[in-house]
Amino acid sequence: KKTLVREQNKRVDLTALETFTIDPDTAKDFDDALSLSKDRKGIYHLAVHIADVAHYVTAGTPLDLEAIHRSNSTYFPGTCIPMLPEELSNHLCSLKPDEIRLTVSVLMDFDKTGSLLKHEVVRSFIHSDKRFTYFEALDVIEGRTKSPHSKTLKLMVDLCKLLKQKRHERGSIDFSLPETVIVIDERGQPTGVKKIEYDITHQLVEEFMLKANETVAKELLARGKSQIYRIHDEPKAENFEDFYALARSLGFKLPIKPSTTDLQHLFEEAKKSPYSQQLSIAFIRSMKL
C-alpha cells in the first residue's frame, strides 16, 4: 500500500470523476473505463482511462519476456489463456469498481459538433464507480432500469452520435455486424449459439476507444516518437467488381463506378433488408488484409 501511495503522488488524481466500465457479461478483466461530463458552454469533457500495465511489467523482466513469448491472451469459448498472470490481468490491472487503479488517461474536450478542441494524455489513478455489462447499460439508456449513471450514459449516446457523424463525413462505412457467441455450460460443454447485436452501448465504447487511439497516435507523432500502424492498403478496383455485381443482383442500385458516398448509401439501405450481414462480409473480403 505504501508503494501504491508513493506512485499515486506522481500521478494526476482522477478519483473524483464519475467513472465506470462497460464490457461483455462474460468479461473477467476490465481494461478501460470512461468518464464524461458536459459544461454550461456545451463542451463535452471525455476521459478514456486505460489500465497502466506498463507500470507493473517493465521492459526486459521475466514477466515482459513471457508476455512477448505468448504475444497475446488467447480466448476460447468459456475460457482464456492470459498473456499475463491473473494477479495482474484480473486484479491489479483490472479496473474493478470501488478500487484505486493506476491508469493512463486520455482527456479530450469536444465542441457541440463533436470536433476535438484539445487533449491531454496523463498518467493517472482512478476509482471506478460501477461495472456495467452491455446489456445493463442498454437497459439504463432505454429506461428499463434506473441508475445514478443514467444521465451520463445518455450523454455518452449524444457524443457517440456526433463522433459517428464525423467519421461518416470522412467516408467511414458503418457495418454494425452482430457477434455470434458460443454458449458454454458449467462443465465447459457448448450448449448453443446466441447472437449479440451491435447496439448503441457497443458503438459508444468503440467510438470513444477509436478517438482515444487516434488522439494518442497524434500525440506520439507530435512528440516525434515512432509507432506501429495497422493499415488497409488501397484495394484494386477489380477486387470490388464481384461485390458490386453481388449488390446489384440483390436489387441494390449502384452506378458503374461507385463512390464512397454511394457505398455508404448502399449499406444504409442494406440495414433495412435481410442482406446486411451478407453484403458486409462480402465487402470486407474484397478489401486487402
Side-chain angles (χ1 to χ4, degrees):
K1 286 189 174 179
K2 287 181 180 178
T3 304
L4 182 61
V5 169
R6 281 200 300 271
E7 183 59 32
Q8 287 172 212
N9 290 335
K10 305 174 191 174
R11 293 170 176 257
V12 178
D13 183 353
L14 298 179
T15 54
L17 293 180
E18 178 191 359
T19 302
F20 47 79
T21 59
I22 309 176
D23 289 281
D25 53 356
T26 55
K28 298 288 191 299
D29 60 318
F30 316 120
D31 304 325
D32 42 72
L34 301 169
S35 304
L36 181 66
S37 61
K38 187 179 181 182
D39 64 26
R40 291 179 181 177
K41 295 179 182 177
I43 305 299
Y44 293 91
H45 303 281
L46 173 67
V48 175
H49 315 282
I50 310 295
D52 191 359
V53 181
H55 172 74
Y56 298 98
V57 184
T58 52
T61 58
L63 269 179
D64 182 44
L65 298 175
E66 179 63 20
I68 290 170
H69 179 67
R70 294 188 179 206
S71 300
N72 49 260
S73 295
T74 304
Y75 291 88
F76 298 99
T79 190
C80 168
I81 300 172
M83 182 176 70
L84 296 170
E86 287 192 22
E87 288 82 0
L88 287 179
S89 59
N90 287 12
H91 297 287
L92 282 173
C93 297
S94 182
L95 308 182
K96 294 182 174 183
D98 302 320
E99 298 281 357
I100 297 289
R101 289 292 184 255
L102 304 181
T103 45
V104 177
S105 298
V106 187
L107 312 177
M108 296 164 279
D109 289 355
F110 299 92
D111 67 15
K112 298 172 186 177
T113 70
S115 295
L116 182 64
L117 299 173
K118 64 177 183 176
H119 76 273
E120 189 178 6
V121 182
V122 297
R123 293 200 180 276
S124 55
F125 61 99
I126 65 164
H127 179 275
S128 176
D129 301 298
K130 171 73 176 174
R131 177 270 205 266
F132 279 109
T133 67
Y134 285 118
F135 300 116
E136 290 170 346
L138 188 64
D139 281 343
V140 173
I141 289 167
E142 295 185 345
R144 290 185 292 273
T145 305
K146 291 184 178 180
S147 168
H149 306 294
S150 174
K151 183 179 176 182
T152 302
L153 279 166
K154 289 173 181 175
L155 200 59
M156 286 179 175
V157 172
D158 294 342
L159 180 57
C160 168
K161 289 177 179 177
L162 291 175
L163 296 180
K164 280 187 73 171
Q165 180 58 33
K166 286 287 182 188
R167 283 206 300 122
H168 187 271
E169 290 166 6
R170 285 158 51 182
S172 176
I173 296 171
D174 183 14
F175 298 120
S176 298
L177 282 168
E179 182 183 359
T180 303
V181 175
I182 298 172
V183 180
I184 303 293
D185 66 16
E186 63 276 2
R187 294 175 297 126
Q189 296 298 310
T191 59
V193 175
K194 67 178 178 181
K195 185 187 283 187
I196 299 175
E197 293 298 331
Y198 187 74
D199 61 45
I200 190 63
T201 58
H202 296 78
Q203 293 170 42
L204 71 85
V205 170
E206 181 181 45
E207 288 300 327
F208 297 164
M209 294 305 147
L210 280 172
K211 204 65 196 178
N213 282 336
E214 183 185 313
T215 302
V216 167
K218 287 180 178 177
E219 174 73 15
L220 289 171
L221 199 63
R223 293 188 188 187
K225 301 285 186 183
S226 60
Q227 54 191 312
I228 297 172
Y229 290 92
R230 182 176 65 182
I231 63 165
H232 280 292
D233 280 335
E234 285 290 328
K236 294 176 182 176
E238 56 263 32
N239 289 14
F240 280 114
E241 291 304 325
D242 288 344
F243 170 76
Y244 299 150
L246 172 65
R248 293 182 184 114
S249 74
L250 295 173
F252 297 96
K253 293 180 181 178
L254 279 174
I256 296 171
K257 292 187 177 180
S259 66
T260 301
T261 304
D262 293 324
L263 291 173
Q264 287 176 322
H265 289 320
L266 166 67
F267 282 101
E268 284 164 14
E269 287 298 310
K271 285 180 187 177
K272 305 168 193 172
S273 77
Y275 306 116
S276 178
Q277 189 165 350
Q278 183 181 355
L279 283 172
S280 296
I281 292 169
F283 184 83
I284 291 166
R285 283 178 173 169
S286 301
M287 299 172 72
K288 286 200 173 184
L289 294 176

